[in-house]
Amino acid sequence: MRAGILMLVLPIVIAVHVSAQLFTDVNDRLIKTLQVKTAGELISVPCIDLNGGKQIEINFDALSAGFNRYAYSIIHCDADWKPSVLTPVEYMSGFQGLVIDDYASGMGTTVSYTNYRLLLPNRDVQFKVSGNYAVRICEESNPAHIVLTACFSVVEPLVNISATVTGNTLIDTYASRQQVDFTVNHKALPVPYPQTELKVRVCQNNRRDNVVTDILPSGISAGRIEYANLRELIFEAGNEYRRFEFLSPRYNGMHVDGVSFHHPYYHVTLASDILRSARSYQYDQDQNGRFFINCINCNDPDVQADYFFVHFTLDADPLAGGSVHLAGDIYNNVLDEKSKMGYNRETGRYEKSFLLKQGNYNYHYLFLPNGQSRASAALTEGDYYQSENEYGIYIYYRPQGERYDRLIGAERICR
């Protein structure tokens, strides 16, 4: 049974005045399995309509036997995920520093944890304006220690977006890239100066490292703004995500070589992976980098799924000039030391092991050149125009005199 406590306002004001770009990430080693999604939807992006009736769900575990009190603060952001100039009273109704009151302990698991769930908006917090939002969650007793950040968007759908994705690009023809074209129909909203009043953001598979910004229209007509045949909207096609699942300690799941128990943990050894850059394209029905918590004979996987140590290996010579990262929602698409693979010269393989909750997972190996922030799949996964990718298109509007970026349209298109 999920438990609750009375929601309280922190006596200490949580600092929200930050200037750096915010993104979904975990900052505490005890926090695992962070999910940010539309509540009630298995496959979704963290985006809801303003006053549309749906909620954002922020779900995570704390690897501890007892309950910890976690408080949350909400930050409104601009189109580039930096805090906007709006004050909390301008973008939300409610209080900062409320305590998460929806929690439950893991049941019958070898690893002790408590699962926490936060739904927004709720009876205590409502959003007043559209745009990007970041939720910072901290320990109630130590507001300076931010354990995680969860980002999502709230849209007021004032425009319609029609989009296409093709392998026939300005650079190559049905080879290794994909071209995104789209049209913004805004008959219900006058946009006299789209070159300066609109900010367009396009991302692939919810990745943050390859978001395209600073896009100018290719054509403007009455009620229509076109973004077509633009070099900025050409993406590396990549490959289908690799997949594995482990749902029970009693048998091997998909892409699993073996399951064993070494006190105090279960261990899952995945089949060794190889580079796919020199292989031909092969279709696989992936979920574009997502994961889903699941286990056999579980009525509530959030609290009944166990944690296993999962061992990844990539059989490859060391790739010079950069690092290899495990990418996807498995690491919130963050390319840092946590997602970096280590190279074992004795075995001649890239290796990584860490605790994961039972379920179905997608992942990629991406190569990040030294000194750069944008990764590539060309060396590790290959680039194939046939790959099925998911593109997110976000249209922000800030007319002259406005103080924040309104999100007036969001569209997801899968090739």
Side-chain angles (χ1 to χ4, degrees), residues 228-305:
N229 298 315
L230 298 174
R231 285 183 175 268
E232 303 96 302
L233 293 176
I234 297 175
F235 290 80
E236 293 180 347
N239 203 341
E240 308 298 344
Y241 279 82
R242 305 175 193 252
R243 297 188 297 153
F244 72 94
E245 68 176 18
F246 61 108
L247 308 179
S248 170
R250 298 182 178 86
Y251 65 86
N252 297 347
M254 181 198 324
H255 200 57
V256 173
D257 257 359
V259 181
S260 58
F261 183 79
H262 305 283
H263 186 77
Y265 300 110
Y266 281 102
H267 291 256
V268 171
T269 301
L270 301 182
S272 186
D273 293 313
I274 61 174
L275 299 178
R276 298 193 290 176
S277 53
R279 300 168 67 88
S280 58
Y281 170 79
Q282 184 175 356
Y283 171 75
D284 191 17
Q285 188 174 2
D286 64 5
Q287 288 76 43
N288 296 316
R290 295 179 173 87
F291 67 82
F292 309 103
I293 301 306
N294 198 9
C295 51
I296 296 297
N297 299 323
C298 288
N299 295 320
D300 187 356
D302 280 344
V303 295
Q304 291 180 280

Side-chain angles (χ1 to χ4, degrees), residues 70 98 100 105 165 275 294 297 321 325 328 386:
Y70 292 107
L98 297 175
I100 299 175
S105 298
V165 181
L275 299 178
N294 198 9
N297 299 323
H325 292 258
Q386 303 100 318

Side-chain angles (χ1 to χ4, degrees), residues 145-157:
H145 178 47
I146 307 299
V147 300
L148 68 88
T149 303
C151 295
F152 59 91
S153 299
V154 176
V155 59
E156 44 182 326

